[in-house]
Amino acid sequence: MKKVGRYWLLLLILSFCSSHISAQTLRFDFGNGKAAKGFTAVTANAMYSDAAGFGFEPGAVITAVLRKGKDQRTNDFVTANKPFFFSVRLPEGNYRVKLWLGDVAGTSSTIVRAECRRAVLPQVITNTKEVKEVSFLVHVRDTMIAGTNTQVKIKAREREYWHWDNKLTLEINDSLPKLCALEITPVHNVPVIFLAGNSTVVDQASEPYAAWGQMIPQLFQSDKVVVANYAESGEALNSFLSAKRLEKILSLMKPGDYLFIEFAHNDQKQKGAGIGPWESYTKLLHQYIESCRQKGGHPVLVTSMHRRNFDSSGHVINTLGDYPAAMRKVAADLKVPLIDLNNMSAQLYEAWGPKASEKGFVIYPANSFPGQEKALLDNTHFNPYGAYEIARCIAQGMRDIQLPLAQYLLPALPAYNPSQPDKAAQFYWPLSPVIAKAKPDGN
């Protein structure tokens, strides 16, 4: 065989092996005890490196604890006195993540978030001598667009985000987190909910900002659907398109997947001939819908929530002009399911009232967070509590319009009336350690 032929044969073999390896289940056993069979040992000082392909991110001091017990997966664990992060290098795709949380000789309380503070699991509390096995589905992505030589044009600030790199990062949080073991398995035949939107939808990377797209995964049954949030702060329909974000979504979409579309806040700031709710906005919504349907996907339109703006009688002032009305008309004309978040958010804000509504937005006095020297007064962007309430609106909206996806919501998730919101004091969100240096793009 000629040298050139052998060279290409070798490349083919290496490519096959690489893809074969990447499709395998990865298992990690945390602590300083002997690793369980089939698991990779992860000690307390195993810092992430590309060479290893896994490890803890800098920032927390990890402690390993070894207990007596026959099950090597659960007889030891790692913990820390503040939130800590564990990363695994993975190719783009969807994965089932299984964790063993708890302590065979004590109690524990753990909250798990993925990538940029994506709420994937509710709080997991274990009793004395109990270890719980829990799981969730997660989407891992990179900027490359399959089948092309192009990539998503991300902003400079996005280069620091964990949801655009080549690894899955898990945040282990709460008052007494104890991580025993971890298993990551590729999945292929689950429905994917792609999200296209702006700063009110995106996985906000830093406290105290949050958006509904990063809160809604925890409202679904953990092994039924995966949420792929491609929203980004400051985006409008046209900029989302020109940055190739929609192209990226479509390159991954399979028949039966969903595309939720929520834009208006930044679209309304654009000026010029042909720009407006009944012209450019309507035309682009048509393009998004048709592109999604051509891939066999199901588009869902979401009217944008109001900004926090009240008149003297405590009623919400519409600052979005005709954009919500234009989206409603497109939904009717093209027979697209529509969640009227604009209407629901008005009910929510008015139920809160001008003063109590501050608890749902990024409105804080100076020095509420480390390094925050100036007061924060943002009437557009939500904090985690506000974002969660908006996510509850979205979930209820699915039920109200009988969207098939509603069957995958948590069976115990109660009906939600935006005129009777959850109380802020009952919402539990231990802070992530990353604090925002600047507000998100858009307003």
Side-chain angles (χ1 to χ4, degrees):
M1 183 182 294
K2 295 181 179 180
K3 289 184 178 180
V4 173
R6 288 198 298 268
Y7 172 77
W8 285 110
L9 178 62
L10 179 60
L11 282 183
L12 181 64
I13 293 172
L14 289 174
S15 176
F16 172 80
C17 291
S18 176
S19 62
H20 182 70
I21 291 171
S22 68
Q24 297 302 304
T25 295
L26 301 176
R27 298 182 177 91
F28 302 94
D29 188 350
F30 296 89
N32 293 334
K34 184 178 179 181
K37 184 178 180 180
F39 285 69
T40 298
V42 183
T43 61
N45 60 355
M47 301 304 293
Y48 181 83
S49 70
D50 284 334
F54 65 88
F56 298 105
E57 300 288 348
V61 177
I62 311 297
T63 301
V65 179
L66 178 63
R67 305 294 197 194
K68 293 181 179 179
K70 295 182 180 179
D71 190 339
Q72 292 173 334
R73 287 177 308 179
T74 59
N75 67 359
D76 58 351
F77 59 85
V78 292
T79 187
N81 63 357
K82 63 179 182 178
F84 61 97
F85 299 86
F86 182 75
S87 293
V88 180
R89 190 176 71 248
L90 291 172
E92 180 173 76
N94 300 314
Y95 295 87
R96 176 171 286 105
V97 178
K98 184 185 298 184
L99 304 102
W100 286 262
L101 304 172
D103 183 352
V104 295
T107 62
S108 74
S109 182
T110 309
I111 285 178
V112 180
R113 298 172 189 149
E115 304 290 72
C116 290
R117 300 167 60 239
R118 191 181 310 158
V120 291
L121 282 178
Q123 184 183 39
V124 179
I125 297 175
T126 62
N127 298 317
T128 303
K129 300 181 181 181
E130 180 184 23
V131 173
K132 287 185 178 179
E133 181 182 311
V134 296
S135 65
F136 61 89
L137 299 179
V138 67
H139 179 71
V140 176
R141 71 187 195 228
D142 58 37
T143 59
M144 297 303 301
I145 298 174
T148 73
N149 294 321
T150 61
Q151 56 186 323
V152 178
K153 300 174 184 177
I154 63 174
K155 302 173 182 178
R157 66 193 297 170
E158 291 183 83
R159 296 190 185 105
E160 300 178 4
Y161 295 169
W162 275 330
H163 57 222
W164 279 123
D165 56 19
N166 61 346
K167 57 188 180 182
L168 169 65
T169 298
L170 301 178
E171 175 186 332
I172 312 300
N173 203 322
D174 210 7
S175 58
L176 192 58
K178 296 181 179 180
L179 174 60
C180 300
L182 167 67
E183 179 180 281
I184 304 173
T185 305
V187 294
H188 305 286
N189 298 317
V190 295
V192 180
I193 305 172
F194 292 96
L195 304 183
N198 53 34
S199 58
T200 63
V201 186
V202 71
D203 287 353
Q204 293 285 1
S206 308
E207 301 286 358
Y209 296 91
W212 70 258
Q214 70 192 126
M215 292 295 175
I216 205 164
Q218 65 188 316
L219 303 183
F220 286 100
Q221 298 175 58
S222 61
D223 60 346
K224 298 297 185 182
V225 296
V226 60
V227 177
N229 192 352
Y230 280 80
E232 174 51 29
S233 297
E235 293 298 288
L237 281 168
N238 67 331
S239 61
F240 195 90
L241 191 65
S242 63
K244 300 186 180 297
R245 298 179 195 272
L246 179 61
E247 183 179 344
K248 174 68 175 180
I249 289 173
L250 296 173
S251 73
L252 298 172
M253 181 176 286
K254 63 184 185 300
D257 289 343
Y258 285 79
L259 175 61
F260 280 53
I261 304 165
E262 189 230 295
F263 291 94
H265 288 79
N266 302 305
D267 303 74
Q268 71 169 163
K269 302 168 191 173
Q270 299 173 350
K271 307 295 181 183
I275 301 297
W278 306 109
E279 297 176 274
S280 60
Y281 183 75
T282 293
K283 181 179 179 181
L284 285 169
L285 284 177
H286 278 249
Q287 182 176 343
Y288 275 59
I289 291 163
E290 293 305 321
S291 297
C292 176
R293 284 175 168 170
Q294 287 174 10
K295 293 288 293 187
H298 305 297
V300 178
L301 296 179
V302 181
T303 57
S304 289
M305 72 290 288
H306 286 279
R307 297 181 177 92
R308 179 183 167 274
N309 196 325
F310 294 89
D311 63 20
S312 59
S313 63
H315 292 97
V316 170
I317 298 172
N318 176 30
T319 63
L320 291 171
D322 286 339
Y323 282 84
M327 180 174 278
R328 295 184 189 107
K329 186 176 187 305
V330 170
D333 289 346
L334 298 185
K335 295 180 173 54
V336 178
L338 178 125
I339 296 174
D340 201 341
L341 182 59
N342 183 259
N343 180 49
M344 299 175 84
S345 66
Q347 298 176 51
L348 173 63
Y349 300 177
E350 290 176 4
W352 277 332
K355 184 59 180 176
S357 61
E358 294 181 358
K359 295 182 180 180
F361 288 79
V362 179
I363 299 176
Y364 297 94
N367 301 310
S368 296
F369 303 93
Q372 178 224 335
E373 298 178 356
K374 297 181 179 179
L376 299 173
L377 180 57
D378 191 326
N379 291 309
T380 299
H381 298 111
F382 303 98
N383 61 19
Y385 162 63
Y388 179 78
E389 294 302 290
I390 295 295
R392 290 294 310 275
C393 288
I394 297 290
Q396 186 60 43
M398 294 182 201
R399 288 172 168 169
D400 291 344
I401 63 175
Q402 299 182 344
L403 200 66
L405 273 176
Q407 67 182 303
Y408 301 128
L409 292 168
L410 294 171
L413 185 68
Y416 184 77
N417 183 349
S419 295
Q420 298 175 349
D422 303 313
K423 296 186 182 301
Q426 297 173 341
F427 179 74
Y428 183 61
W429 179 270
L431 293 177
S432 296
V434 183
I435 307 299
K437 299 175 183 177
K439 70 178 287 295
D441 293 341
N443 183 27

